[in-house]
Amino acid sequence: MEKHIVLLPGDGIGPEVTKAAKRVLQAVADRYQHSFTFENHDIGGVAIDQQGTPLPEDTVQAAKKADAIFLGAVGGPKWDQLPGHMRPEKGLLGIRKQLGLFANLRPVKAFNQLLHASPLKQEVVQASDLLIVRELTGGLYFGQPSERRNNGEEVVDTLAYERREIERIVDQAFQSAQVRRKHLTSVDKANVLESSRMWREVVEEKKAAYPDVSVEHMLVDAAAMKLVTNPTYFDVIVTENMFGDILSDEASVLTGSLGMLPSASLNENGVGLYEPVHGSAPDIAGEDKANPLASILSVAMMLKHSFGLEEEAEQVETAVQEVLSGGYHTADIDVKGGTKVSGSELAAKVVDQIGSNDTTENIMRCYV
Ligand code: IPM
Ligand code: MN
């Protein structure tokens, strides 16, 4: 299979984790005889420095032509003082919008090897396996520009949705639930917000089309509590852009580190942008301390969702599991009796694992 991948390393630890993602993609290509080609482009702070804008046109054009996109991270204190439209984050929001990446899938799984790394009790976290489906191109993040203002005395952000925007994300969530444990929790604030009341209406309308999925509504404050008191209760959560942003960082404590959470952002044509949920972590940038596993697991999502390579995706996930079972971890995770290694060393272990696994199966393949 031939695929062309656009890499957007971005800022802070972005370039380090992107390098890890690329190495893993290359390892998969070598083992399974695929051909992946790569093209790097600027986004975020680095793009502001190089080209005077957080989202240069050549980045958008290249991303539109790619089979898949990998993004490291954007932002950092260096650009904090810039006006809103010039901040690095604008690059990320802009590419999500321009590519129509409305469906953000954020799986959260507690790895057995890392249970004790979570600040929560082991028996609470154990067996947590949920998927947050976050709406990504509407809501509070993208209020109407005419209404979005700050005149010094009064400030306004708006939370707007068109019905069809809610419909498509709710459909996506029902479909995700169908291939999992078939339970959907729609999270909103319908006791206060008009937008949430329409959200509930849409979920109620849609559920007839997915009779195999059980569905319920939950207020966002209650959901935030349940996520850390009874996380195994959840299968798929679907929610508005900002609620999803907040809940996904909260859910990362189940995995022991924000450095473990991958994500996929898909549009209506199935084109995807893959990125670790963690940010640019400027405090450790350039020190080779960043955990590459969120990026590597994002690569697994790319293989599965954009390229339909289920076996390869599973191989990457297994390799991560095996490296964790070997006790290897980066500094963000406190594994008792484990071996702390650098980010690039951890990525190398995953790459080795991908290359070496199932050799018998490989040999068998040569003979059939
Ligand atoms: C995320 C990030 C972004 C968001 C920021 C960097 C704009 O926190 O992907 O979760 O809020 O969507
Ligand atoms: Mn976030």
Side-chain angles (χ1 to χ4, degrees), residues 74 84 89-90 92-94 96-97 101 104 106 134-145 148 156-161 165 239-249 275 277:
V74 297
E89 290 78 5
K90 265 281 169 222
L92 180 56
L93 299 184
R96 287 173 179 170
K97 193 74 174 176
L101 304 167
N104 186 216
R106 297 186 159 185
R134 170 188 175 194
E135 201 292 326
L136 202 60
T137 50
L140 262 180
Y141 275 56
F142 294 93
Q144 308 301 319
R148 196 171 193 161
V156 181
D157 282 300
T158 51
L159 199 175
Y161 271 112
E165 291 178 299
T239 193
E240 186 271 336
N241 200 343
M242 180 165 269
F243 294 160
D245 179 46
I246 298 168
L247 292 181
S248 53
D249 268 31
E275 58 174 318
V277 172

Side-chain angles (χ1 to χ4, degrees), residues 2-33:
E2 286 181 21
K3 293 290 176 191
H4 188 61
I5 299 154
V6 161
L7 302 174
L8 309 175
D11 308 319
I13 58 171
E16 301 162 37
V17 296
T18 303
K19 203 179 277 176
K22 186 177 175 185
R23 286 171 73 186
V24 167
L25 280 163
Q26 200 52 63
V28 169
D30 291 347
R31 174 164 172 187
Y32 291 90
Q33 279 126 46

Side-chain angles (χ1 to χ4, degrees), residues 204-205 223 240 296 298 320 351:
E204 284 301 307
E205 279 165 23
E240 186 271 336
I296 292 172
S298 300
V320 167
V351 165

Side-chain angles (χ1 to χ4, degrees), residues 9 31 80 132 138 230 240 265 273 290 305:
R31 174 164 172 187
D80 270 355
I132 297 178
N230 190 6
E240 186 271 336
S265 305
L273 179 147
H305 292 280

